[in-house]
PDB file of all heavy atoms in Angstrom:
ATOM      1  N   PHE B  14      45.759 108.896  88.729  1.00 95.00           N
ATOM      2  CA  PHE B  14      45.804 107.561  89.090  1.00 95.00           C
ATOM      3  C   PHE B  14      47.232 106.989  88.712  1.00 95.00           C
ATOM      4  O   PHE B  14      47.738 107.331  87.703  1.00 95.00           O
ATOM      5  CB  PHE B  14      44.755 106.765  88.319  1.00 95.00           C
ATOM      6  CG  PHE B  14      43.397 106.883  88.908  1.00 95.00           C
ATOM      7  CD1 PHE B  14      42.380 107.481  88.086  1.00 95.00           C
ATOM      8  CD2 PHE B  14      43.028 106.416  90.154  1.00 95.00           C
ATOM      9  CE1 PHE B  14      41.065 107.612  88.560  1.00 95.00           C
ATOM     10  CE2 PHE B  14      41.729 106.546  90.643  1.00 95.00           C
ATOM     11  CZ  PHE B  14      40.741 107.178  89.846  1.00 95.00           C
ATOM     12  N   THR B  15      47.720 106.140  89.599  1.00 92.00           N
ATOM     13  CA  THR B  15      49.041 105.475  89.254  1.00 92.00           C
ATOM     14  C   THR B  15      48.720 103.974  89.037  1.00 92.00           C
ATOM     15  O   THR B  15      48.251 103.330  90.016  1.00 92.00           O
ATOM     16  CB  THR B  15      50.034 105.681  90.416  1.00 92.00           C
ATOM     17  OG1 THR B  15      50.038 107.034  90.732  1.00 92.00           O
ATOM     18  CG2 THR B  15      51.403 105.210  90.006  1.00 92.00           C
ATOM     19  N   VAL B  16      48.877 103.519  87.936  1.00 90.00           N
ATOM     20  CA  VAL B  16      48.727 102.097  87.603  1.00 90.00           C
ATOM     21  C   VAL B  16      50.052 101.513  87.100  1.00 90.00           C
ATOM     22  O   VAL B  16      50.648 101.996  86.144  1.00 90.00           O
ATOM     23  CB  VAL B  16      47.665 101.862  86.547  1.00 90.00           C
ATOM     24  CG1 VAL B  16      47.468 100.400  86.271  1.00 90.00           C
ATOM     25  CG2 VAL B  16      46.309 102.517  87.061  1.00 90.00           C
ATOM     26  N   SER B  21      48.525 108.668  85.404  1.00 92.00           N
ATOM     27  CA  SER B  21      47.655 109.252  84.369  1.00 92.00           C
ATOM     28  C   SER B  21      46.634 110.192  85.018  1.00 92.00           C
ATOM     29  O   SER B  21      46.176 109.982  86.161  1.00 92.00           O
ATOM     30  CB  SER B  21      46.932 108.139  83.542  1.00 92.00           C
ATOM     31  OG  SER B  21      46.059 107.528  84.368  1.00 92.00           O
ATOM     32  N   MET B  22      46.276 111.264  84.320  1.00 93.00           N
ATOM     33  CA  MET B  22      45.382 112.205  84.830  1.00 93.00           C
ATOM     34  C   MET B  22      43.967 111.831  84.391  1.00 93.00           C
ATOM     35  O   MET B  22      43.610 111.944  83.250  1.00 93.00           O
ATOM     36  CB  MET B  22      45.662 113.629  84.239  1.00 93.00           C
ATOM     37  CG  MET B  22      46.972 114.227  84.753  1.00 93.00           C
ATOM     38  SD  MET B  22      46.876 114.669  86.494  1.00 93.00           S
ATOM     39  CE  MET B  22      46.514 116.413  86.348  1.00 93.00           C
ATOM     40  N   ALA B  23      43.171 111.398  85.366  1.00 96.00           N
ATOM     41  CA  ALA B  23      41.741 111.039  85.057  1.00 96.00           C
ATOM     42  C   ALA B  23      40.945 112.353  84.977  1.00 96.00           C
ATOM     43  O   ALA B  23      39.990 112.458  84.223  1.00 96.00           O
ATOM     44  CB  ALA B  23      41.166 110.101  86.081  1.00 96.00           C
ATOM     45  N   LEU B  24      41.282 113.345  85.814  1.00 97.00           N
ATOM     46  CA  LEU B  24      40.633 114.607  85.851  1.00 97.00           C
ATOM     47  C   LEU B  24      41.720 115.681  85.841  1.00 97.00           C
ATOM     48  O   LEU B  24      42.701 115.531  86.614  1.00 97.00           O
ATOM     49  CB  LEU B  24      39.739 114.785  87.088  1.00 97.00           C
ATOM     50  CG  LEU B  24      38.581 113.815  87.230  1.00 97.00           C
ATOM     51  CD1 LEU B  24      37.859 114.100  88.537  1.00 97.00           C
ATOM     52  CD2 LEU B  24      37.609 113.950  86.064  1.00 97.00           C
ATOM     53  N   GLY B  41      30.706 112.540  77.551  1.00 92.00           N
ATOM     54  CA  GLY B  41      32.003 112.337  77.018  1.00 92.00           C
ATOM     55  C   GLY B  41      32.240 110.914  76.652  1.00 92.00           C
ATOM     56  O   GLY B  41      31.462 110.037  77.037  1.00 92.00           O
ATOM     57  N   ARG B  42      33.244 110.651  75.873  1.00 90.00           N
ATOM     58  CA  ARG B  42      33.541 109.242  75.440  1.00 90.00           C
ATOM     59  C   ARG B  42      33.966 108.393  76.642  1.00 90.00           C
ATOM     60  O   ARG B  42      34.339 108.992  77.672  1.00 90.00           O
ATOM     61  CB  ARG B  42      34.573 109.280  74.330  1.00 90.00           C
ATOM     62  CG  ARG B  42      33.949 109.610  72.984  1.00 90.00           C
ATOM     63  CD  ARG B  42      34.869 109.157  71.878  1.00 90.00           C
ATOM     64  NE  ARG B  42      36.101 109.954  71.921  1.00 90.00           N
ATOM     65  CZ  ARG B  42      36.335 110.974  71.088  1.00 90.00           C
ATOM     66  NH1 ARG B  42      35.472 111.272  70.161  1.00 90.00           N
ATOM     67  NH2 ARG B  42      37.459 111.601  71.165  1.00 90.00           N
ATOM     68  N   SER B  43      34.058 107.118  76.417  1.00 91.00           N
ATOM     69  CA  SER B  43      34.475 106.200  77.448  1.00 91.00           C
ATOM     70  C   SER B  43      35.936 106.548  77.876  1.00 91.00           C
ATOM     71  O   SER B  43      36.714 106.812  77.043  1.00 91.00           O
ATOM     72  CB  SER B  43      34.464 104.769  76.842  1.00 91.00           C
ATOM     73  OG  SER B  43      34.683 103.878  77.918  1.00 91.00           O
ATOM     74  N   GLY B  44      36.073 106.580  79.140  1.00 93.00           N
ATOM     75  CA  GLY B  44      37.379 106.935  79.676  1.00 93.00           C
ATOM     76  C   GLY B  44      37.695 108.413  79.851  1.00 93.00           C
ATOM     77  O   GLY B  44      38.775 108.818  80.247  1.00 93.00           O
ATOM     78  N   ALA B  45      36.705 109.234  79.508  1.00 94.00           N
ATOM     79  CA  ALA B  45      36.941 110.673  79.607  1.00 94.00           C
ATOM     80  C   ALA B  45      37.071 111.154  81.025  1.00 94.00           C
ATOM     81  O   ALA B  45      37.595 112.291  81.266  1.00 94.00           O
ATOM     82  CB  ALA B  45      35.777 111.413  78.935  1.00 94.00           C
ATOM     83  N   GLY B  46      36.547 110.375  81.988  1.00 96.00           N
ATOM     84  CA  GLY B  46      36.648 110.769  83.418  1.00 96.00           C
ATOM     85  C   GLY B  46      35.280 111.135  84.006  1.00 96.00           C
ATOM     86  O   GLY B  46      35.220 111.660  85.148  1.00 96.00           O
ATOM     87  N   LYS B  47      34.229 110.816  83.285  1.00 96.00           N
ATOM     88  CA  LYS B  47      32.855 111.178  83.801  1.00 96.00           C
ATOM     89  C   LYS B  47      32.544 110.549  85.242  1.00 96.00           C
ATOM     90  O   LYS B  47      32.145 111.259  86.093  1.00 96.00           O
ATOM     91  CB  LYS B  47      31.814 110.726  82.799  1.00 96.00           C
ATOM     92  CG  LYS B  47      31.996 111.179  81.392  1.00 96.00           C
ATOM     93  CD  LYS B  47      30.924 110.677  80.425  1.00 96.00           C
ATOM     94  CE  LYS B  47      30.882 109.178  80.317  1.00 96.00           C
ATOM     95  NZ  LYS B  47      31.994 108.628  79.566  1.00 96.00           N
ATOM     96  N   SER B  48      32.779 109.226  85.282  1.00 96.00           N
ATOM     97  CA  SER B  48      32.457 108.529  86.576  1.00 96.00           C
ATOM     98  C   SER B  48      33.344 109.089  87.686  1.00 96.00           C
ATOM     99  O   SER B  48      32.873 109.323  88.780  1.00 96.00           O
ATOM    100  CB  SER B  48      32.656 107.062  86.418  1.00 96.00           C
ATOM    101  OG  SER B  48      31.808 106.582  85.408  1.00 96.00           O
ATOM    102  N   THR B  49      34.595 109.270  87.341  1.00 97.00           N
ATOM    103  CA  THR B  49      35.563 109.764  88.362  1.00 97.00           C
ATOM    104  C   THR B  49      35.111 111.124  88.873  1.00 97.00           C
ATOM    105  O   THR B  49      35.027 111.373  90.102  1.00 97.00           O
ATOM    106  CB  THR B  49      36.963 109.834  87.770  1.00 97.00           C
ATOM    107  OG1 THR B  49      37.340 108.610  87.262  1.00 97.00           O
ATOM    108  CG2 THR B  49      38.019 110.203  88.847  1.00 97.00           C
ATOM    109  N   LEU B  50      34.629 111.955  87.941  1.00 97.00           N
ATOM    110  CA  LEU B  50      34.197 113.292  88.319  1.00 97.00           C
ATOM    111  C   LEU B  50      32.929 113.247  89.170  1.00 97.00           C
ATOM    112  O   LEU B  50      32.853 113.855  90.284  1.00 97.00           O
ATOM    113  CB  LEU B  50      33.920 114.107  87.036  1.00 97.00           C
ATOM    114  CG  LEU B  50      33.189 115.468  87.133  1.00 97.00           C
ATOM    115  CD1 LEU B  50      33.934 116.326  88.175  1.00 97.00           C
ATOM    116  CD2 LEU B  50      33.238 116.186  85.830  1.00 97.00           C
ATOM    117  N   GLU B  58      35.512 109.353  95.574  1.00 96.00           N
ATOM    118  CA  GLU B  58      36.859 109.548  94.995  1.00 96.00           C
ATOM    119  C   GLU B  58      37.362 110.856  95.534  1.00 96.00           C
ATOM    120  O   GLU B  58      36.682 111.812  95.573  1.00 96.00           O
ATOM    121  CB  GLU B  58      36.656 109.672  93.452  1.00 96.00           C
ATOM    122  CG  GLU B  58      37.836 109.298  92.633  1.00 96.00           C
ATOM    123  CD  GLU B  58      37.988 107.803  92.485  1.00 96.00           C
ATOM    124  OE1 GLU B  58      37.169 107.129  91.768  1.00 96.00           O
ATOM    125  OE2 GLU B  58      38.897 107.223  93.196  1.00 96.00           O
ATOM    126  N   GLN B  92      24.848 102.266  86.737  1.00 94.00           N
ATOM    127  CA  GLN B  92      24.560 101.614  85.473  1.00 94.00           C
ATOM    128  C   GLN B  92      24.014 100.224  85.693  1.00 94.00           C
ATOM    129  O   GLN B  92      23.038  99.784  85.098  1.00 94.00           O
ATOM    130  CB  GLN B  92      25.764 101.628  84.608  1.00 94.00           C
ATOM    131  CG  GLN B  92      25.522 100.947  83.238  1.00 94.00           C
ATOM    132  CD  GLN B  92      26.726 101.149  82.312  1.00 94.00           C
ATOM    133  OE1 GLN B  92      27.714 101.749  82.688  1.00 94.00           O
ATOM    134  NE2 GLN B  92      26.583 100.649  81.101  1.00 94.00           N
ATOM    135  N   ASP B 168      24.933 107.715  87.376  1.00 96.00           N
ATOM    136  CA  ASP B 168      26.083 107.266  86.519  1.00 96.00           C
ATOM    137  C   ASP B 168      25.591 106.278  85.509  1.00 96.00           C
ATOM    138  O   ASP B 168      25.352 105.108  85.802  1.00 96.00           O
ATOM    139  CB  ASP B 168      27.216 106.668  87.387  1.00 96.00           C
ATOM    140  CG  ASP B 168      28.481 106.536  86.528  1.00 96.00           C
ATOM    141  OD1 ASP B 168      28.411 106.809  85.350  1.00 96.00           O
ATOM    142  OD2 ASP B 168      29.544 106.174  87.161  1.00 96.00           O
ATOM    143  N   GLU B 169      25.368 106.721  84.272  1.00 95.00           N
ATOM    144  CA  GLU B 169      24.929 105.841  83.192  1.00 95.00           C
ATOM    145  C   GLU B 169      23.669 105.082  83.618  1.00 95.00           C
ATOM    146  O   GLU B 169      23.566 103.877  83.393  1.00 95.00           O
ATOM    147  CB  GLU B 169      26.034 104.834  82.797  1.00 95.00           C
ATOM    148  CG  GLU B 169      27.327 105.498  82.376  1.00 95.00           C
ATOM    149  CD  GLU B 169      27.371 105.936  80.937  1.00 95.00           C
ATOM    150  OE1 GLU B 169      26.359 105.917  80.254  1.00 95.00           O
ATOM    151  OE2 GLU B 169      28.430 106.310  80.459  1.00 95.00           O
ATOM    152  N   VAL B 200      25.466 111.464  84.314  1.00 97.00           N
ATOM    153  CA  VAL B 200      26.582 111.045  83.495  1.00 97.00           C
ATOM    154  C   VAL B 200      26.130 110.114  82.389  1.00 97.00           C
ATOM    155  O   VAL B 200      25.434 109.156  82.749  1.00 97.00           O
ATOM    156  CB  VAL B 200      27.708 110.417  84.319  1.00 97.00           C
ATOM    157  CG1 VAL B 200      28.678 109.579  83.527  1.00 97.00           C
ATOM    158  CG2 VAL B 200      28.460 111.450  85.130  1.00 97.00           C
ATOM    159  N   HIS B 202      26.931 108.570  78.057  1.00 88.00           N
ATOM    160  CA  HIS B 202      27.501 108.792  76.794  1.00 88.00           C
ATOM    161  C   HIS B 202      26.363 108.772  75.695  1.00 88.00           C
ATOM    162  O   HIS B 202      26.635 108.962  74.524  1.00 88.00           O
ATOM    163  CB  HIS B 202      28.469 107.697  76.424  1.00 88.00           C
ATOM    164  CG  HIS B 202      27.908 106.369  76.399  1.00 88.00           C
ATOM    165  ND1 HIS B 202      27.824 105.539  77.521  1.00 88.00           N
ATOM    166  CD2 HIS B 202      27.306 105.662  75.423  1.00 88.00           C
ATOM    167  CE1 HIS B 202      27.258 104.379  77.183  1.00 88.00           C
ATOM    168  NE2 HIS B 202      26.912 104.473  75.923  1.00 88.00           N
ATOM    169  N   LEU B 217      33.204 116.431  78.427  1.00 95.00           N
ATOM    170  CA  LEU B 217      34.499 116.050  78.987  1.00 95.00           C
ATOM    171  C   LEU B 217      35.281 115.291  77.909  1.00 95.00           C
ATOM    172  O   LEU B 217      34.728 114.482  77.198  1.00 95.00           O
ATOM    173  CB  LEU B 217      34.309 115.036  80.157  1.00 95.00           C
ATOM    174  CG  LEU B 217      34.524 115.602  81.552  1.00 95.00           C
ATOM    175  CD1 LEU B 217      33.320 116.519  81.865  1.00 95.00           C
ATOM    176  CD2 LEU B 217      34.695 114.502  82.549  1.00 95.00           C
TER     177      LEU B 217
HETATM  178  N1  LIG C 401      40.499 103.230  90.364  1.00 59.35           N
HETATM  179  C1  LIG C 401      41.194 103.553  89.266  1.00 59.35           C
HETATM  180  N2  LIG C 401      42.486 103.236  89.160  1.00 59.35           N
HETATM  181  C2  LIG C 401      43.184 103.594  88.036  1.00 59.35           C
HETATM  182  N3  LIG C 401      42.686 104.206  87.015  1.00 59.35           N
HETATM  183  C3  LIG C 401      41.392 104.556  87.011  1.00 59.35           C
HETATM  184  C4  LIG C 401      40.597 104.263  88.205  1.00 59.35           C
HETATM  185  N4  LIG C 401      39.338 104.748  87.944  1.00 59.35           N
HETATM  186  C5  LIG C 401      39.397 105.320  86.717  1.00 59.35           C
HETATM  187  N5  LIG C 401      40.593 105.226  86.263  1.00 59.35           N
HETATM  188  C6  LIG C 401      41.016 105.727  84.865  1.00 59.35           C
HETATM  189  O1  LIG C 401      40.596 107.109  84.824  1.00 59.35           O
HETATM  190  C7  LIG C 401      40.163 107.408  83.494  1.00 59.35           C
HETATM  191  C8  LIG C 401      38.680 107.856  83.643  1.00 59.35           C
HETATM  192  O2  LIG C 401      37.863 106.824  84.015  1.00 59.35           O
HETATM  193  P1  LIG C 401      36.302 106.976  84.256  1.00 59.35           P
HETATM  194  O3  LIG C 401      35.790 105.657  84.725  1.00 59.35           O
HETATM  195  O4  LIG C 401      36.050 108.170  85.054  1.00 59.35           O
HETATM  196  O5  LIG C 401      35.819 107.232  82.760  1.00 59.35           O
HETATM  197  P2  LIG C 401      34.352 107.345  82.200  1.00 59.35           P
HETATM  198  O6  LIG C 401      34.250 108.620  81.494  1.00 59.35           O
HETATM  199  O7  LIG C 401      33.368 107.155  83.288  1.00 59.35           O
HETATM  200  O8  LIG C 401      34.266 106.097  81.207  1.00 59.35           O
HETATM  201  P3  LIG C 401      33.082 105.095  80.843  1.00 59.35           P
HETATM  202  O9  LIG C 401      32.178 105.806  79.946  1.00 59.35           O
HETATM  203  O10 LIG C 401      33.781 103.970  80.194  1.00 59.35           O
HETATM  204  O11 LIG C 401      32.443 104.705  82.114  1.00 59.35           O
HETATM  205  C9  LIG C 401      40.249 106.109  82.667  1.00 59.35           C
HETATM  206  O12 LIG C 401      41.436 106.224  81.967  1.00 59.35           O
HETATM  207  C10 LIG C 401      40.392 105.037  83.714  1.00 59.35           C
HETATM  208  O13 LIG C 401      41.238 103.968  83.305  1.00 59.35           O
END
Side-chain angles (χ1 to χ4, degrees):
Chain B
F14 285 114
T15 310
V16 179
S21 67
M22 291 290 263
L24 298 177
R42 280 199 293 259
S43 189
K47 306 181 294 292
S48 299
T49 308
L50 172 49
E58 209 77 75
Q92 177 171 4
D168 193 353
E169 303 276 10
V200 158
H202 62 270
L217 257 74

